[in-house]
Structures are given as C-alpha cells and as structure tokens.
Amino acid sequence: MLAAHCTGCHQPGGIAPFSLTTYEEARDLAGIALAAVEAGIMPPFDGEGTDDCAHRLPWRDDPRLSAAQIATFEAWMEDGYALGVEAEIPPPPDTALGGVTHTVAPPVGYATGGEADEFICFVLDPGLTATRWMTGLQVRPGLPEVVHHAVMSAMPPGDALDALVAEVGVGQPFACPGGVAALDGSYLLGVWTPGNQPTETPPELGIPMAAGAAVIVQIHYHPGGQTHAADATAIDLRLTDTPPANVYTIAAVGNAPAAPQLLPGPDDPVTGPAFFIPAGAADHTETMRFEVQGQAGQRFGIFMAYPHLHYVGVSLEIDIERAAPVAGEPADECLIGVPAWNFDWQRSYQYDVALDALPTVGAGDVINVRCRYDNSMANPFVQRALAELGLTDPIDVRLGEETLDEMCLGIFAIVLPNAPAGGEVQGLPPSPLMLVPVAPR
Ligand code: HEC
C-alpha cells in the first residue's frame, strides 16, 4: 500500500522529506504515516468534496487509501509490524506516459535556491508544422526534490506568442509568479504534482494544438533553503494527427469583481458587493452566482475541473443547478469541492467516467461558486506569503494576480464535437457557453 500510494514522492531524491521505500522506514514511521492518512493530509489530494458539495462521480487517479486499506494498515501495526516477504516490496509506481511522440525541455533549465519558493516559466517549442491533438501529457522533473508542481498551457501562434518570445526567448527561464493563465489565447493542458499518473484523455477526445503552437510551463520550485544544480524538467506529449471525434475547450467560472455575479458578503462597503478580504479576517466568504448562456437544448460534458485560489483561500465549492438535466443526472450537483485548499498541492481533477456519462452543463443552468478565506496569521500560507513580501502583518486582500491578491476560480474543460475533419485549427474552439450575471437568490 505504501509503495502504491506514497513512494511516488517518499523515495530517495523525491519531493517528500523522507523515504518510505524500505520495511524499516515504514515500520519506524508507521505512527505518523497513519496519522497523516487519517487526517486526510497524505497522500495530498484536495478534491475531497465537502458536506455541502459532495461529489457524485469518482476522480481518475484518486490516490487516497480506502477505509479497508486504512484498517489493514492499523491491523498490521497492532500485529507488531510483521515483515512479510521482503523480496516482494514493489518499486514506486511507474508514471511513464505511453506512446510519447514529442518531448520538450529547456536546454539548460533553472537552478533554484534559497528559502523562498520560486515560480519560473519556460516557453517550449514542440515544432508543430500541422494541427495535432494531444491525448496524453506527463512531466519528468530533472531534480524531483525541488519541483513541487507544474502547470502546462498551450499558446497558439500569433502576435501574443511572438511578443512573449521576443521578450523571454524560447527555452529560457523567466519569473512568472502569476502563472500564464492570463496570457492571450493560452489554454490549460494539465496540472502536474509529484507522483501523478500521466494526464490522458478518454478515447475519442483530444486537445487541439495549432501548427506553431508553443507549450508554456510554469514550475513551482521548492528549494528548501539549499542551493541546487539546474533543473531541466521535460514534458512528454502524446500527439495524434488523426482528428478525434471530440475536442475540448475551456470555460472558466468565478473571479466576479462586483454585483450582480458577486453576491453580498461580509465586509462589503456601502457601495455594494466587493471582492474584499480585510486584513485579519479569519473566516471570510465570497459567493458568486452565474447563469450559463448559449444555444438552448445543447448540453456539454465537463471533462476536467481545476479549482484555483491563492494563499489566503482555505476552501472552494462549485455547484451547478441544471435547467434541463440529461436522463439520470441530478438537477443539482457539486462539480468540485475542496474542503482544505493547499496552494502547494493544486492539481486538475478528471471525472473517471466515459464521455457520455460526464456531468453536463448547458444554457439556462446556474453555477454557484463559494470560496472561504482566512486572512489571519493563523493561516500558515498567509505567514509564508507575507514573509516572501517582507511584511509582518496581514494586509487587505482584493481580486488580482499578485501573491497577496486572491482568486475564486474554477476552470473547466468541456467536450465539444470536433469540427469536420481535415481543417487546420488555430487554437481552442470557442466556448459555446457564456456566463452572465444573474440576480441573487
Ligand atoms: C504527491 C507526493 C506525496 C505523496 C503521494 C505522499 N506524500 Fe507524504 N509528504 C509529501 C511532502 C512533499 C511532504 C512534506 C510536507 C508537505 O510539503 O506537505 C510530506 C509529508 C508527509 C508526512 C509528514 C506530515 C507532517 O505533518 O509533517 C507524513 C507522515 C507523510 N507525508 C506520509 C505519507 C504517506 C503515509 C503517504 C501515502 C499514503 C504519503 N505521505 C504520500 C509528499 C507526498
């Protein structure tokens, strides 16, 4: 169980601070290992759902231990940590992507060091000369002990990419604390955390990438107070030139700056709802409500969810009220619930069902988004963000992209039928759905 669920990170040279790859390590650390598992801290997986936002469907590659596995672990401890057959200790899980067609990596990479975590981006060129569709992606960290997570986007060719390349070059590191989501036309390919299995699309689904498109990766480095050699993290891609039956596009919901999507909350000024988290507020919630607009009668499957907050955020819940659910689907459903947001363990969540059983979204639906924040020194991430900025006390926090700004965002990949075969794509197909303000309940 430890080999399958823990050693992806808890191995010599891995991101975790200690190894769990031998019998002696497992025996000596069994007590704290069980405590971390029972507390839901390990293995890291934030998308657990909440009382108000419980998931109907399972997640792909859910690393958590089942209740039966935890009971087995407890019984093993009570039985005196029986050694078993030593020769059968399995290696850490294989995380390689099958069928890799392209690999991109910076020529030199980046040498991180010091106390503060760093967010470094690279523009990488897979050399596409025609439209391709991505069906798999995996990250291979150069120095696994420092690469805490990576966010990959595709950026179609055009003025925005040219301007970026003119500024930072191809394959060269540049600081990008706010990430790359805001770059013109770029879209999410996947979010990787250590030990993750590869991102893979279900059969019949691909992510379009135009000829000349770049892959942009943002790497979260955790130097841990030491100096390190250069890390050149590689990204493996599986691209197909056969047009798939379906493609995905991205629809983001959240980050409402004002009414009417932003509902009244605590600490609003007299002028109306504001996304404002005062310094010291330990339990502050922002609530938003969006109505989905688009062509009536069409519903689209949601393939992946990527919840996103910064350091002050502590939980997130996104649910949908369907105007016309498909058969077998509930009218109200939690799309993603994160009870204890941990900035270091953000990842994307893929529903583990066939394409035709995905949760759907369509015009007339309402999407509710709630995020809770703790802007006090009791929040260790607030302490860390303040320290990085050379501050000692919490400050007022507003919507934005900087370290001590906040967000309340769900990025969703939705499935569309592919355009007729043979055409070149320029980027992601436009989203058929739009999110517009609705009156508060
Ligand atoms: C995705 C990588 C990853 C996986 C998988 C993982 N860990 Fe960890 N673990 C870490 C990291 C990194 C830390 C250091 C603290 C942190 O960054 O959260 C840690 C810390 C811990 C700690 C110390 C907790 C504390 O309070 O300081 C324990 C105990 C632990 N892990 C046990 C486990 C067990 C048991 C499993 C499997 C059931 C597991 N971990 C799976 C990465 C992982």
Side-chain angles (χ1 to χ4, degrees), residues 1-2 5-10 15-18 20 29 32-34 36-37 41-44 65 148 193-195 342 344-345:
M1 277 174 348
L2 297 187
H5 292 264
C6 316
T7 59
C9 300
H10 289 271
I15 184 83
F18 53 88
L20 283 172
L29 297 167
I32 62 160
L34 181 65
V37 168
I41 301 169
M42 288 287 148
L65 273 68
H148 208 298
T193 47
N342 182 326
D344 289 338
W345 293 119

Side-chain angles (χ1 to χ4, degrees), residues 25-289:
E25 288 162 347
R27 179 195 61 201
D28 295 348
L29 297 167
I32 62 160
L34 181 65
V37 168
E38 286 182 330
I41 301 169
M42 288 287 148
F45 188 79
D46 285 358
E48 294 183 274
T50 68
D51 290 346
D52 290 336
C53 193
H55 303 131
R56 174 173 64 99
L57 300 169
W59 298 120
R60 185 172 184 270
D61 298 326
D62 183 340
R64 289 172 293 175
L65 273 68
S66 67
Q69 287 177 312
I70 294 173
T72 303
F73 194 82
E74 283 168 346
W76 171 69
M77 290 171 68
E78 279 161 21
D79 281 356
Y81 312 92
L83 174 59
V85 182
E86 201 170 3
E88 285 182 4
I89 293 175
D94 181 10
T95 56
L97 173 69
V100 173
T101 57
H102 295 66
T103 294
V104 285
V108 178
Y110 181 73
T112 186
E115 289 296 337
D117 285 17
E118 295 190 280
F119 295 86
I120 301 295
C121 286
F122 298 89
V123 178
L124 301 171
D125 180 11
L128 302 185
T129 54
T131 300
R132 292 287 179 268
W133 290 268
M134 192 191 95
T135 63
L137 174 150
Q138 181 60 306
V139 171
R140 281 188 288 115
L143 291 182
E145 62 269 35
V146 295
V147 179
H148 208 298
H149 82 258
V151 182
M152 277 67 54
S153 316
M155 190 152 178
D159 293 348
L161 179 57
D162 292 347
L164 181 65
V165 167
E167 193 188 330
V168 301
V170 173
Q172 302 305 314
F174 61 101
C176 58
V180 291
L183 287 177
D184 240 355
S186 74
Y187 52 92
L188 189 68
L189 294 175
V191 184
W192 175 89
T193 47
N196 264 23
Q197 287 299 312
T199 295
E200 287 184 273
T201 60
E204 298 305 295
L205 178 67
I207 304 168
M209 290 183 68
V215 173
I216 299 176
V217 55
Q218 182 206 36
I219 301 180
H220 171 185
Y221 285 111
H222 180 64
Q226 291 167 28
T227 49
H228 298 274
D231 160 74
T233 286
I235 297 161
D236 287 335
L237 300 167
R238 185 173 66 213
L239 306 181
T240 162
D241 50 10
T242 318
N246 298 279
V247 292
Y248 90 37
T249 192
I250 299 280
V253 60
N255 282 2
Q261 298 106 318
L262 186 64
L263 305 189
D267 313 308
D268 283 339
V270 289
T271 45
F275 195 113
F276 175 67
I277 312 159
D283 186 6
H284 177 101
T285 302
E286 294 291 351
T287 313
M288 303 165 196
R289 187 168 162 84

